[in-house]
Amino acid sequence: MVGVGLVAEMPTDAERRRVLIAEDEALIRLDLAEMLVEEGYEVVGEAGDGETAVRLAEELKPDLVILDIKMPIMDGLAAAERIAGARIAPVIILTAFSQRDLVERARAAGAMAYLVKPFQKSDLVPAVEIALSRYSEVAALEAEVASLTDRLEIRKAVERAKGALMTTYGMTEPQAFKWIQRTAMDHRMTMKEVAERILAETAGGEVSQQPTV
């Protein structure tokens, strides 16, 4: 087996993410923009309704879109469906309610994460990073295989392998996926092969200080 060191990859100033915000309450929109800027993100556009959000997303091609669930003209779920369906950017849904049905509807619309208002900066940043990570994961899996059935099988294996890395080595979800993706590239393997090796290793009790492939 070849040992592979784990290096936590954090965003740098050179990788500033461009964010579009859509929220019909101006004060919340302002607070959200301030939080994002303070954390090093670039707010490239703001909208007060879902229709404008979709148009700006198509024009600006941001790295991330944050949508309030209840907006005039077009609500956040409909806007998320349009933006996610066109593969423009990952979407985070803002909601004042934590009901399971709204969360499920947000996921079905293509949202990668959601936030319940009122939220703190400590809630916002992890949600942003998880949404970006999940979106890149879906894109990578789609690039690896064309068949929908194969994609679902690979996604299941990668999800289980991420869980094993998070439990065994204390990685975050984004770190676990990046490790799998980087290891696959470094060793000229598919992500499914890497995931299966991780699952076999952790299931067999062959746990070292660092994951190996």
Side-chain angles (χ1 to χ4, degrees):
M1 290 188 178
V2 180
V4 181
L6 168 64
V7 179
E9 295 181 14
M10 300 300 290
T12 65
D13 288 340
E15 301 169 326
R16 288 185 70 190
R17 302 290 193 172
R18 301 167 64 254
V19 184
L20 169 65
I21 301 169
E23 162 65 67
D24 61 328
E25 293 187 44
L27 191 58
I28 295 176
R29 196 165 68 236
L30 179 63
D31 286 345
L32 185 54
E34 284 182 358
M35 285 185 196
L36 288 165
V37 170
E38 284 171 6
E39 288 300 314
Y41 301 99
E42 181 184 359
V43 177
V44 293
E46 297 183 25
D49 64 81
E51 191 173 273
T52 303
V54 172
R55 178 175 56 77
L56 288 176
E58 291 170 345
E59 291 174 4
L60 299 171
K61 299 289 190 290
D63 297 309
L64 177 74
V65 180
I66 301 178
L67 301 169
D68 185 39
I69 202 164
K70 292 187 181 296
M71 290 187 290
I73 306 176
M74 181 190 294
D75 68 20
L77 292 176
E81 210 162 32
R82 293 268 299 275
I83 293 166
R87 296 288 193 273
I88 295 171
V91 171
I92 293 177
I93 290 286
L94 300 179
T95 175
F97 311 98
S98 57
Q99 286 103 322
R100 183 175 294 277
D101 65 323
L102 283 177
V103 174
E104 291 305 321
R105 285 173 60 202
R107 284 180 180 153
M112 293 290 166
Y114 74 97
L115 274 172
V116 179
K117 297 186 286 187
F119 54 85
Q120 306 296 320
K121 194 189 296 183
S122 57
D123 303 316
L124 175 63
V125 175
V128 168
E129 293 306 315
I130 284 171
L132 291 167
S133 172
R134 286 177 177 167
Y135 186 77
S136 66
E137 179 179 333
V138 169
L141 292 176
E142 287 182 350
E144 188 166 298
V145 287
S147 158
L148 177 60
T149 304
D150 288 346
R151 278 209 300 270
L152 291 172
E153 288 302 312
I154 292 173
R155 187 165 180 76
K156 285 180 191 173
V158 170
E159 285 294 325
R160 288 172 58 212
K162 280 195 308 182
L165 290 174
M166 290 161 69
T167 301
T168 308
Y169 299 102
M171 297 186 193
T172 64
E173 184 178 339
Q175 285 172 342
F177 179 72
K178 284 181 181 177
W179 192 91
I180 293 168
Q181 189 177 37
R182 188 172 61 243
T183 302
M185 292 173 65
D186 290 347
H187 296 280
R188 298 180 184 278
M189 299 165 67
T190 66
M191 282 189 286
K192 186 180 181 184
E193 288 171 336
V194 174
E196 287 170 346
R197 292 274 190 97
I198 291 166
L199 291 169
E201 182 178 306
T202 52
E206 301 175 27
V207 178
S208 57
Q209 287 189 338
Q210 295 177 347
T212 57
V213 169

PDB file of all heavy atoms in Angstrom, residues 25 40 43 207:
ATOM      1  N   GLU A  25     -35.820  40.837   1.881  1.00  0.00           N
ATOM      2  CA  GLU A  25     -35.682  41.762   3.006  1.00  0.00           C
ATOM      3  C   GLU A  25     -34.305  42.415   2.947  1.00  0.00           C
ATOM      4  O   GLU A  25     -33.285  41.756   3.134  1.00  0.00           O
ATOM      5  CB  GLU A  25     -35.872  41.030   4.334  1.00  0.00           C
ATOM      6  CG  GLU A  25     -37.293  40.513   4.535  1.00  0.00           C
ATOM      7  CD  GLU A  25     -37.505  39.934   5.916  1.00  0.00           C
ATOM      8  OE1 GLU A  25     -37.049  40.557   6.896  1.00  0.00           O
ATOM      9  OE2 GLU A  25     -38.100  38.854   6.009  1.00  0.00           O
ATOM     10  N   GLY A  40     -14.171  36.756   3.330  1.00  0.00           N
ATOM     11  CA  GLY A  40     -13.326  36.641   2.142  1.00  0.00           C
ATOM     12  C   GLY A  40     -14.032  36.280   0.851  1.00  0.00           C
ATOM     13  O   GLY A  40     -13.390  36.070  -0.176  1.00  0.00           O
ATOM     14  N   VAL A  43     -19.190  39.307  -3.107  1.00  0.00           N
ATOM     15  CA  VAL A  43     -20.603  39.388  -3.468  1.00  0.00           C
ATOM     16  C   VAL A  43     -20.704  40.109  -4.813  1.00  0.00           C
ATOM     17  O   VAL A  43     -20.446  41.303  -4.912  1.00  0.00           O
ATOM     18  CB  VAL A  43     -21.421  40.135  -2.385  1.00  0.00           C
ATOM     19  CG1 VAL A  43     -22.883  40.264  -2.815  1.00  0.00           C
ATOM     20  CG2 VAL A  43     -21.331  39.399  -1.051  1.00  0.00           C
ATOM     21  N   VAL A 207      -6.485   0.128  10.221  1.00  0.00           N
ATOM     22  CA  VAL A 207      -6.507   1.587  10.381  1.00  0.00           C
ATOM     23  C   VAL A 207      -5.143   2.086  10.812  1.00  0.00           C
ATOM     24  O   VAL A 207      -4.591   1.676  11.827  1.00  0.00           O
ATOM     25  CB  VAL A 207      -7.569   2.000  11.433  1.00  0.00           C
ATOM     26  CG1 VAL A 207      -7.558   3.495  11.638  1.00  0.00           C
ATOM     27  CG2 VAL A 207      -8.947   1.539  10.967  1.00  0.00           C
TER      28      VAL A 207
END
